[in-house]
Amino acid sequence: MGEGTGDLGPERARQSRRGRHRGRRDRREEDLAGNKDNLANGTDGLASSKAGTGNRSGRVGVTYKYFGAPSSAAAANVPISMRPEELGGDELGMGGMFTRIKPETVAAMVLTGIEGIPLHKVPPLELVVLHPDYAVVKLPMTVVDPLRGVGEESVGAAAFIWSTVPDRGGPRDAFGVYQLLREWQDFSHRLHENGHQPYCLVWP
């Protein structure tokens, strides 16, 4: 009889081991299903899953890489090459200030600060790809279009407005928010010039 099978016979022991494997696989499928539900409303699900199972690569937290793509089909191919800049030079956040800021926060920052939309009315993100190790989400064009038609004063006012929002994400001070919005404004111009839409690669 195999070690660790107690009083089970050989056939019963094999069935017991198969049952344990099926149990682990079922739990894995449940975790992925839970991640999909979380990503439909935000990107925290992928991060919490990695935190719960341990990050073998040694990296801490989640990295957000913003980029432009002509379509969701093109954006879905980005994790395969890990070269978002190949899609037209719109890539934003590779080692920059956006790498730790969730797309939900960016969307709220623009829509609340520039457009005056209440936080509870900020539209959800569209999930393009969900993989056990990464996800790609699409941001609405309303998150980039408004910045193309505003000047420095409007960006500064939006930064101040967002800095006063309680329980918000992003930088703590208004100047940090202002820097983010100016970089995002440049990003919106590059998207428009290339005819691209904004996406975010969520990479734990």
Side-chain angles (χ1 to χ4, degrees), residues 63-67 82 84 91-94 199-203:
T63 298
Y64 304 98
K65 298 178 181 179
Y66 295 89
F67 63 96
M82 293 305 297
E91 195 271 338
L92 175 67
M94 187 77 76
Y199 294 88
C200 180
L201 171 62
V202 184
W203 189 259

Side-chain angles (χ1 to χ4, degrees), residues 92-93 97-98 178-187:
L92 175 67
M97 61 178 66
F98 276 91
Y178 172 78
Q179 288 181 305
L180 284 174
L181 287 175
R182 285 305 301 269
E183 187 170 337
W184 192 256
Q185 188 176 39
D186 292 340
F187 180 52

Side-chain angles (χ1 to χ4, degrees), residues 98-191:
F98 276 91
T99 55
R100 297 299 176 189
I101 298 180
K102 297 188 295 184
E104 296 92 343
T105 299
V106 175
M109 192 182 301
V110 173
L111 294 176
T112 300
I114 300 291
E115 297 288 273
I117 296 177
L119 283 176
H120 68 277
K121 291 188 177 181
V122 173
L125 305 178
E126 178 185 336
L127 178 63
V128 176
V129 173
L130 176 63
H131 185 272
D133 294 322
Y134 62 81
V136 175
V137 295
K138 179 181 179 181
L139 286 77
M141 291 302 293
T142 52
V143 173
V144 291
D145 286 344
L147 281 167
R148 291 203 312 274
V150 300
E152 188 173 340
E153 290 185 1
S154 296
V155 175
F160 175 76
I161 291 172
W162 183 252
S163 69
T164 63
V165 174
D167 299 326
R168 59 183 172 80
R172 295 183 178 180
D173 60 281
F175 182 70
V177 177
Y178 172 78
Q179 288 181 305
L180 284 174
L181 287 175
R182 285 305 301 269
E183 187 170 337
W184 192 256
Q185 188 176 39
D186 292 340
F187 180 52
S188 70
H189 284 292
R190 294 196 298 275
L191 288 174

